[in-house]
């Protein structure tokens, strides 16, 4: 770079600054500071200089918003902080119940207020900035991992490539929603219609499809926007104690923030805000499907924490779904991977909330009995949460004269085994583990992206393999041979070889993914992660008692019973042994690398607690340590055996490192206590 004149370097820096300012004024403030022709001229000059002097190209340059074309599928990357979805309320009574629930979680109730924000109908995005520079952008994915779409996100002008902040913290995490303005959505569909391409059903679908384009130039052409709504700072002296301050700070450092947020002192004010936007959302230039209500105080948010799936301190009030009548043409039943029999109404196709709907779930036998739904009935349907179509009501006045009550099947439509409906459950089940539908569902679940992510092993291929009797269990997947599959219809040697490679790669999936893939009832991706972290390996989990399972934070009685029962079945024990011999990852790798000796006892050990723990209150952690013979002290010294460190550990962490004291996390503590209790 020494051969480049200072004049050129200075000019490039000037241009970058000018173009960034102009972009911010235009796309974020909606207040242009220069004519488009001037902006274009400056941009072209910067582009020319960077082409002539590639050494001057930096990640924060406006010209880097469009990256190179991606060669392959998007990589799956773990979120630094889990990206939780929100619990939903569909009326004001449910909103009031939520307020009662979160208040019950607190021992003392301090003053509080809420922040209401419009729920933008788009795609949740997590952005990571290192030293102020955008380095990573992920989709929500399953909340634990997301797809790396950084190149595509660079094309969104309201996402700053560089934060407008002096001495930025080392790491900044920003969460927000990518969306497509209605005017742009209309333009894209008109263009697609002109080119005889299928049009997008709604802006949300168009946003999701755009973000997953392999060519960032296409993303750039579609002019997505981004509203930021949350920020996590690793360090720095920033006075952000409340959500409304976080929104102000986000705007200050270069983000577009939805201007319609409001602080509300009471639930009545929240309801007034929701009513206002229910009646006025049609005037907005983007789609919104509800209102997000958050407790304003970040300290209260931290105190309340999370359930297995949702933050306790926030909820989304969804707008009432559109309802529309249609006619039931048939009623069928599907058999799921757990044997659950789900009735389904096949209806005359109708347009509902932007999509064509022809099927609607009827949930279970009791639901059907209450509705008295029959073939030929005219029914009212809606989308629950604006996603899943469901039947709300039967208009009996329009029922055909020759209709007959629907008779729920007594035997499985797949294997003809007698169906069972336990008294305590509403769900009817097939309990034949050899049922083709249960096997098919289990295999599909095992190969799914959230589980073992075996690309190419979809439902059609699984059905083909089952028809040719090549697989009868999960373990059989790993015994498949190229020559066997190459002879199958629509396969061929190339596809078979690729699939075998994907199956082999799945052996590298972490323990939590394997655990989720087993399809244990009630064990979702997040619960699987919790179990993997707390029980270290499959044998520890298999030997755990119900009380051991219930003792894990986030694992309730229902999940504990389900896990215990699953490992009690001989067929499942055989499967685990087969998976061991295949070489799958059945232990939690992070535990192998921990600096804690798992076999050591806490008896007579001196332990200091510092920082905020993820789930345990300090007093609860103290009781847990004392229950196994440990002693909690307040000061770090050469006599300290362990430092139990949480968030913002501070000076005690520094001193412990200087004295070479073993540092453990809450998860490490729970694992040690679990091992002691197991012995």
């Amino acid at each position: 770079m020494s051969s480049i004149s200072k004049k050129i370097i200075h000019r490039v820096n000037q241009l970058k600054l000018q173009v960034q300012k102009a972009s911010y004024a235009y796309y974020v403030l909606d207040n242009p500071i220069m004519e488009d022709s001037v902006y274009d001229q400056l941009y072209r000059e910067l582009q020319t200089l960077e082409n002539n002097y590639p050494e001057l190209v930096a990640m924060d340059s406006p010209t880097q918003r469009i990256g190179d074309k991606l060669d392959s599928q998007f990589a799956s990357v773990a979120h630094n902080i889990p990206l939780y979805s929100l619990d939903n309320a569909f009326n004001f009574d449910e909103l009031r119940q939520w307020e009662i629930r979160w208040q019950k979680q607190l021992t003392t109730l301090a003053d509080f207020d809420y922040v209401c924000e419009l729920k933008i109908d788009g795609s949740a995005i997590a952005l990571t900035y290192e030293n102020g520079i955008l380095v990573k952008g992920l989709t929500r994915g399953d909340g634990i991992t997301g797809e790396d779409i950084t190149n595509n996100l660079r094309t969104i002008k309201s996402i700053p490539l560089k934060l407008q902040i002096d001495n930025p913290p080392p790491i900044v995490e920003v969460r927000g929603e990518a969306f497509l303005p209605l005017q742009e959505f209309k333009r894209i569909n008109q263009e697609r219609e002109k080119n005889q391409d299928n049009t997008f059903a709604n802006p949300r679908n168009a946003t999701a499809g755009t973000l997953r384009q392999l060519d960032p130039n296409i993303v750039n052409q579609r002019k997505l926007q981004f509203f930021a709504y949350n920020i996590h700072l690793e360090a720095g002296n920033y006075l952000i104690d409340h959500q409304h301050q976080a929104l102000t700070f986000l705007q200050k450092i270069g983000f577009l923030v939805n201007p319609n947020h409001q602080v509300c002192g009471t639930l009545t004010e929240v309801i007034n805000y929701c009513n206002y936007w229910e009646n006025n959302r049609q005037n907005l230039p983007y789609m919104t499907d509800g209102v997000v209500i958050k407790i304003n105080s970040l300290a209260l948010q931290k105190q309340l924490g999370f359930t297995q799936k949702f933050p306790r301190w926030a909820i989304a009030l969804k707008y009432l779904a559109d309802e529309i009548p249609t006619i039931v043409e048939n009623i069928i039943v599907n058999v799921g991977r757990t044997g659950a029999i789900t009735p389904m109404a096949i209806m005359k196709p109708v347009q509902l909330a932007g999509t064509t709907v022809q099927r609607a779930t009827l949930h279970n036998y009791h639901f059907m009995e209450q509705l008295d739904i029959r073939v030929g009935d005219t029914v009212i349907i809606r989308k629950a949460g604006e996603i899943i179509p469901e039947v709300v009501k039967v208009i009996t006045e329009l029922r055909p004269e020759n209709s007959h009550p629907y008779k729920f099947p007594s035997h499985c439509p797949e294997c003809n085994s007698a169906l069972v409906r336990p008294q305590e459950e509403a769900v009817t089940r097939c309990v034949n583990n050899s049922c083709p539908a249960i096997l098919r569902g289990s295999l599909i679940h095992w190969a799914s992206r959230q589980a073992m992510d075996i690309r190419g092993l979809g439902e059609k291929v699984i059905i083909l393999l089952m028809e040719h009797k090549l697989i009868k269990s999960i373990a059989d997947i790993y015994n498949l041979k190229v020559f066997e599959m190459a002879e199958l219809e629509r396969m061929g040697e190339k596809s078979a070889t690729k699939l075998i490679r994907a199956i082999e790669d799945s052996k590298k999936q972490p323990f939590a993914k394997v655990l989720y893939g087993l399809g244990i009832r009630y064990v979702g991706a997040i619960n699987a992660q919790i179990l993997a972290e707390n029980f270290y390996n499959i044998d520890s989990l298999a030997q755990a008692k119900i009380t051991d399972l219930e003792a894990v934070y986030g694992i309730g009685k229902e999940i504990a019973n389900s896990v215990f029962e699953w490992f009690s079945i001989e067929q499942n024990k055989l499967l685990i042994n087969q998976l061991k011999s295949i070489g799958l990852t059945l232990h939690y790798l992070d535990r192998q690398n921990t600096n804690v000796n798992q076999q050591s006892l806490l008896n007579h050990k001196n332990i200091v607690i510092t920082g905020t723990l993820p789930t345990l209150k300090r007093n609860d952690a103290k009781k847990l340590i004392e229950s196994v013979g440990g002693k909690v002290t307040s000061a770090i010294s050469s006599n300290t055996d362990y430092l139990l460190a949480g968030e913002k550990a501070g000076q005690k962490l520094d001193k412990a490192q200087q004295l070479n004291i073993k540092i453990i996390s809450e998860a490490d503590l729970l694992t040690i206590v679990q091992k002691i209790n197991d012995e």
Side-chain angles (χ1 to χ4, degrees):
M1 193 174 289
S2 58
S3 61
I4 304 174
S5 70
K6 290 182 180 179
K7 185 178 178 181
I8 296 291
I9 295 171
H10 181 65
R11 181 59 179 165
V12 167
N13 289 333
Q14 273 188 320
L15 289 167
K16 281 166 57 177
L17 187 61
Q18 285 288 332
V19 173
Q20 284 165 348
K21 279 185 177 179
S23 293
Y24 178 67
Y26 186 90
Y27 292 104
V28 177
L29 301 180
D30 197 22
N31 185 25
I33 59 174
M34 63 177 65
E35 294 292 329
D36 288 353
S37 57
V38 177
Y39 176 91
D40 291 340
Q41 189 175 342
L42 293 174
Y43 185 94
R44 278 196 296 269
E45 184 183 353
L46 175 61
Q47 201 171 38
T48 301
L49 286 171
E50 288 182 343
N51 287 337
N52 293 337
Y53 304 97
E55 309 96 307
L56 298 180
V57 178
M59 288 181 68
D60 63 327
S61 173
T63 63
Q64 299 308 297
R65 287 195 179 275
I66 303 175
D68 295 330
K69 218 171 185 176
L70 298 175
D71 294 325
S72 60
Q73 58 208 2
F74 298 103
S76 183
V77 178
H79 287 293
N80 295 335
I81 303 166
L83 185 51
Y84 288 88
S85 56
L86 293 174
D87 198 3
N88 291 325
F90 294 96
N91 54 56
F92 295 138
D93 284 339
E94 292 180 3
L95 196 58
R96 294 184 186 98
Q97 289 166 18
W98 166 72
E99 186 179 69
I100 292 168
R101 282 199 306 275
W102 75 255
Q103 290 182 357
K104 281 182 178 178
Q105 297 288 325
L106 304 174
T107 51
T108 56
L109 184 61
D111 291 338
F112 69 92
D113 53 11
Y114 296 108
V115 171
C116 293
E117 302 169 37
L118 295 181
K119 188 174 184 298
I120 308 304
D121 203 8
S123 295
I125 297 297
L127 303 171
T128 302
Y129 290 80
E130 291 183 5
N131 299 314
I133 304 296
L134 176 65
V135 295
K136 184 170 64 179
L138 305 180
T139 61
R140 180 193 296 280
D142 60 8
I144 298 172
T145 60
E147 288 184 315
D148 188 340
I149 56 168
T150 310
N151 275 10
N152 285 348
L153 293 173
R154 287 180 179 280
T155 71
I156 301 177
K157 304 297 190 298
S158 46
I159 293 179
L161 301 178
K162 182 179 182 180
L163 300 180
Q164 296 181 15
I165 182 173
D166 295 327
N167 301 316
I171 300 290
V172 176
E173 284 271 335
V174 174
R175 302 292 167 80
E177 196 84 356
F179 66 98
L180 197 62
L182 290 174
Q183 188 174 354
E184 184 63 10
F185 171 71
K186 183 178 179 181
R187 183 195 67 77
I188 291 168
N189 266 353
Q190 286 174 343
E191 188 174 288
R192 292 177 72 84
E193 201 168 61
K194 184 179 178 181
N195 296 331
Q196 297 185 337
D197 292 331
N198 292 331
T199 56
F200 290 112
N202 53 55
R204 179 178 60 246
N205 290 357
T207 300
T210 300
L211 288 173
R212 299 195 76 256
Q213 288 288 325
L214 296 181
D215 185 357
N217 287 285
I218 296 175
V219 186
N220 182 57
Q221 291 164 11
R222 291 186 182 169
K223 298 177 183 176
L224 292 174
Q225 282 280 30
F226 178 83
F227 279 139
Y229 55 66
N230 205 356
I231 186 168
H232 299 274
L233 300 171
E234 188 177 84
N237 298 319
Y238 304 102
L239 295 175
I240 304 177
D241 300 318
H242 295 82
Q243 171 64 12
H244 81 271
Q245 291 174 338
L247 294 173
T248 302
F249 183 74
L250 281 165
Q251 192 165 16
K252 182 180 176 182
I253 63 176
F255 286 96
L256 180 63
V257 172
N258 190 286
N260 298 307
H261 58 274
Q262 180 179 314
V263 177
C264 297
T266 65
L267 203 62
T268 301
E269 291 180 33
V270 170
I271 290 170
N272 291 337
Y273 175 94
C274 295
N275 281 330
Y276 175 85
W277 284 111
E278 169 69 16
N279 297 324
N280 291 277
R281 59 184 171 130
Q282 293 81 6
N283 300 323
L284 294 168
Y286 45 80
M287 291 286 287
T288 174
D289 58 346
V291 172
V292 176
I293 301 101
K294 301 175 183 175
I295 295 172
N296 195 11
S297 166
L298 300 187
L300 265 181
Q301 289 186 14
K302 194 168 189 177
Q303 194 175 346
L304 287 166
F306 299 80
T307 66
Q308 297 169 35
K309 297 180 179 179
F310 313 114
R312 291 190 178 93
W313 43 265
I315 196 166
L317 180 72
K318 303 298 287 288
Y319 294 132
L320 290 175
D322 293 333
E323 297 183 352
I324 196 166
T326 186
I327 296 172
V328 178
E329 296 180 333
N330 195 10
I331 296 174
I332 63 171
V333 293
N334 293 325
V335 186
R337 63 181 174 83
T338 63
I341 305 296
T342 305
M344 184 82 62
I346 309 299
M347 306 166 300
K348 184 178 178 181
V350 288
Q351 285 290 312
L352 180 63
T355 59
T356 302
V357 174
Q358 191 172 7
R359 294 174 173 238
T361 179
L362 297 173
H363 301 294
N364 53 55
Y365 169 80
H366 290 309
F367 183 82
M368 293 188 68
E369 193 175 44
Q370 289 171 355
L371 278 180
D372 184 26
I373 188 170
R374 309 178 185 185
V375 173
D377 276 348
T378 299
V379 295
I380 301 295
I381 63 168
R382 72 177 177 195
K383 285 190 177 180
E386 297 196 1
I387 297 173
I388 304 169
E390 67 176 0
V391 176
V392 179
K393 181 183 177 183
V394 175
I395 306 177
T396 53
E397 295 83 356
L398 300 178
R399 175 172 284 166
E401 292 182 4
N402 60 347
S403 74
H404 301 284
Y406 177 76
K407 189 175 180 181
F408 205 89
S410 59
H411 287 72
C412 175
E414 294 268 356
C415 68
N416 206 36
S417 299
L419 298 177
V420 175
R421 185 168 63 250
Q423 287 186 347
E424 69 277 8
E425 291 189 22
V427 178
T428 303
R429 295 185 186 279
C430 173
V431 293
N432 173 21
N433 286 331
S434 301
C435 175
I438 295 176
L439 174 60
R440 182 172 64 245
S442 298
L443 294 170
I444 292 168
H445 178 73
W446 176 266
S448 67
R449 182 174 295 179
Q450 275 189 299
M452 303 306 287
D453 196 17
I454 305 176
R455 302 296 173 95
L457 190 60
E459 184 175 0
K460 290 181 180 179
V461 174
I462 286 169
I463 291 171
L464 191 64
L465 293 170
M466 287 178 65
E467 286 174 349
H468 287 79
K469 302 189 180 346
L470 293 178
I471 49 175
K472 295 180 181 178
S473 75
I474 286 171
D476 287 342
I477 292 172
Y478 296 88
N479 295 322
L480 290 169
K481 303 291 187 294
V482 171
F483 73 87
E484 292 176 323
M485 293 191 295
E487 296 176 356
L488 300 179
E489 183 184 355
R490 301 187 305 276
M491 281 294 288
E493 188 172 343
K494 187 176 179 181
S495 296
T497 302
K498 191 175 179 182
L499 179 53
I500 290 293
R501 193 182 303 121
I503 291 169
E504 194 64 26
D505 287 343
S506 74
K507 293 179 182 179
K508 301 171 188 174
Q509 292 289 1
F511 179 32
K513 292 252 186 181
V514 177
L515 199 51
Y516 172 69
L518 291 173
I520 302 171
R521 205 169 161 203
Y522 306 128
V523 177
I526 292 175
N527 290 330
Q529 183 72 30
I530 292 170
L531 289 169
E533 289 176 359
N534 282 276
F535 289 93
Y536 175 53
N537 61 35
I538 198 74
D539 292 329
S540 297
L541 185 59
Q543 293 161 16
K545 302 170 186 174
I546 290 178
T547 51
D548 299 331
L549 293 159
E550 286 183 342
V552 176
Y553 181 81
I555 303 298
K557 185 175 181 180
E558 196 172 42
I559 300 170
N561 284 330
S562 178
V563 172
F564 181 80
E565 288 172 8
W566 193 92
F567 281 103
S568 302
I569 297 170
E570 287 301 321
Q571 190 176 344
N572 294 336
K573 292 179 182 178
L574 174 63
L575 173 61
I576 294 302
N577 287 331
Q578 290 172 324
L579 296 181
K580 283 180 181 178
S581 64
I582 289 165
L584 268 69
T585 306
L586 296 172
H587 56 272
Y588 190 57
L589 292 176
D590 285 2
R591 285 288 174 274
Q592 290 187 320
N593 301 324
T594 184
N595 56 7
V596 180
N597 180 353
Q598 299 288 356
Q599 301 304 318
S600 67
L601 302 180
L602 296 182
N603 196 26
H604 304 304
K605 301 290 185 183
N606 294 316
I607 301 168
V608 174
I609 304 172
T610 186
T612 305
L613 300 176
T615 62
L616 293 174
K617 293 181 180 178
R618 185 166 295 208
N619 197 42
D620 294 334
K622 183 174 181 287
K623 288 178 181 177
L624 193 62
I625 291 165
E626 290 172 346
S627 72
V628 289
K631 181 183 178 183
V632 176
T633 59
S634 58
I636 292 278
S637 71
S638 57
N639 294 323
T640 303
D641 296 293
Y642 295 119
L643 176 69
L644 173 58
E647 267 188 61
K648 299 181 181 177
Q651 293 179 349
K652 288 182 180 178
L653 178 61
D654 296 335
K655 190 169 181 181
Q657 289 169 337
Q658 290 170 8
L659 295 173
N660 203 27
I661 291 166
K662 290 180 179 177
I663 299 162
I664 62 174
S665 66
E666 179 190 291
D668 295 325
L669 173 67
L670 294 173
T671 301
I672 295 170
V673 172
Q674 180 70 50
K675 279 190 167 291
I676 293 170
N677 291 333
D678 285 344
E679 290 176 354

